[in-house]
Amino acid sequence: MLMRNAPIGVMDSGVGGLTVVGEIWRQLPREEVLFYGDSLRCPYGDRTVEEIATYTFQALDYLVSQGVKMLVIACNTATAICLEPARKRYTIPVIGVIAPGSRAAIAATLNHKVGIIGTSATIRSGSYPKALHATHRGIETYSLACPPFVELVESGVTEEVALPIVRATLEPIVNTDMDTLILGCTHYPLLSKLIQEVVGPDVCLINSAEQTARDVSFWLDEQHLTRIDLRDPHHVFLTSGEAHAFAQIGQNWLGCPLDVRYLDVWHMDNEATRIEM
């Protein structure tokens, strides 16, 4: 009974995972979320595999210590490196964002030509082409690392400032004949308006958040973990970065004030005072 009313633990390298949180709220409005965004060490995409694994498991271990009933790795880079090891490490369900995004792209493409943009680490891992080809061998892929995008989102720059950077970064992929583009980083949907403007209206943008939330819903039902507490859910957002900046970006994206607290799990014991939801 207590486990059913526990929060869903969500982690990301920064604010990008809020796109997944928003979709969880939409599809599962009764569930509580405990979110950890490691903005201090963001972006993960340019770090070594060892650093990504260390930071990711530090965050996941902390969320598990807080009694969450499920983990969502709302970061493509962390999913690419850590999803399978995490499923072996923990006894609760662990959901990533790459498989859901790949399924959505296969469902959307008409000409079987799919673009993939992501961090350098995600693109180097080849996780999206592997996931796509595991389901549909005939998919042709075009991959492009877009290192500036995460920083654009985390810094909260204006669209006027961001647009020329987005345009220059996407230039190598714009002239391909893709009809579908996977936003292979959960930060990127926050730039979706600008990305759509650059690639054109005929390219379908795939945000894995919707399908990821469906996976969360499936596993909650499968494991009999849906929340039954009749009280309104309360969500807590933890960040290793500047809490006010995180709260501002989060409110702009999710449309409501957030309970944001500073916490850097790198410098604390996982058995520290329990977070009050």
Side-chain angles (χ1 to χ4, degrees):
M1 187 72 71
L2 290 175
M3 195 63 173
R4 295 192 69 165
N5 292 326
I8 298 167
V10 182
M11 72 78 58
D12 182 48
S13 62
V15 300
L18 295 181
T19 58
V20 176
V21 171
E23 197 58 38
I24 290 174
W25 285 0
R26 188 180 73 83
Q27 295 187 35
L28 300 163
R30 299 300 307 162
E31 297 293 338
E32 286 189 331
V33 169
L34 176 60
F35 180 94
Y36 185 78
D38 191 15
S39 293
L40 183 64
R41 281 164 283 276
C42 183
Y44 282 8
D46 296 326
R47 295 188 177 274
T48 66
V49 169
E50 291 76 17
E51 286 177 314
I52 294 165
T54 297
Y55 299 153
T56 298
F57 282 112
Q58 192 80 18
L60 295 178
D61 285 350
Y62 180 78
L63 291 173
V64 170
S65 79
Q66 299 302 300
V68 298
K69 63 185 176 183
M70 170 184 282
L71 291 168
V72 180
I73 306 177
C75 171
N76 286 264
T77 300
T79 296
I81 304 301
C82 301
L83 179 61
E84 293 310 317
R87 287 176 168 168
K88 296 175 182 177
R89 186 182 184 103
Y90 307 114
T91 57
I92 57 176
V94 184
I95 307 297
V97 290
I98 289 177
S102 298
R103 292 197 300 270
I106 289 171
T109 184
L110 298 178
N111 69 0
H112 303 154
K113 299 177 190 287
V114 176
I116 304 154
I117 55 174
T119 67
S120 298
T122 298
I123 297 303
R124 282 197 307 269
S125 75
S127 295
Y128 270 106
K130 291 174 189 173
L132 290 163
H133 294 148
T135 301
H136 193 312
R137 290 185 176 275
I139 295 288
E140 186 174 349
T141 61
Y142 311 92
S143 298
L144 178 67
C146 300
F149 286 8
V150 171
E151 187 176 350
L152 289 177
V153 171
E154 291 284 332
S155 61
V157 299
T158 64
E159 291 184 356
E160 184 179 7
V161 172
L163 180 57
I165 300 172
V166 172
R167 190 182 304 281
T169 304
L170 293 178
E171 185 178 0
I173 209 171
V174 166
N175 293 323
T176 65
D177 51 359
M178 64 180 180
D179 71 345
T180 303
L181 178 63
I182 297 174
L183 306 182
C185 173
T186 49
H187 284 74
Y188 293 3
L190 296 166
L191 297 171
S192 58
K193 178 182 176 182
L194 303 183
I195 293 171
Q196 191 77 73
E197 181 176 339
V198 172
V199 300
D202 296 331
V203 176
C204 176
L205 301 187
I206 299 297
N207 171 2
S208 62
E210 180 178 356
Q211 188 62 49
T212 299
R214 289 179 186 169
D215 282 14
V216 169
S217 179
F218 170 82
W219 281 107
L220 290 179
D221 287 340
E222 181 77 10
Q223 301 291 323
H224 306 290
L225 289 174
T226 52
R227 186 171 183 261
I228 56 176
D229 194 332
L230 297 179
R231 293 174 297 179
D232 289 339
H234 178 69
H235 313 285
V236 175
F237 297 84
L238 309 172
T239 178
S240 60
E242 209 285 309
H244 178 74
F246 186 103
Q248 187 61 58
I249 294 173
Q251 181 170 341
N252 291 344
W253 179 250
L254 295 175
C256 62
L258 306 182
D259 179 357
V260 179
R261 310 174 193 180
Y262 168 79
L263 181 73
D264 185 0
V265 298
W266 184 251
H267 295 112
M268 65 177 295
D269 186 337
N270 282 349
E271 299 304 321
T273 304
R274 189 176 183 83
I275 292 292
E276 294 297 326
M277 296 295 291

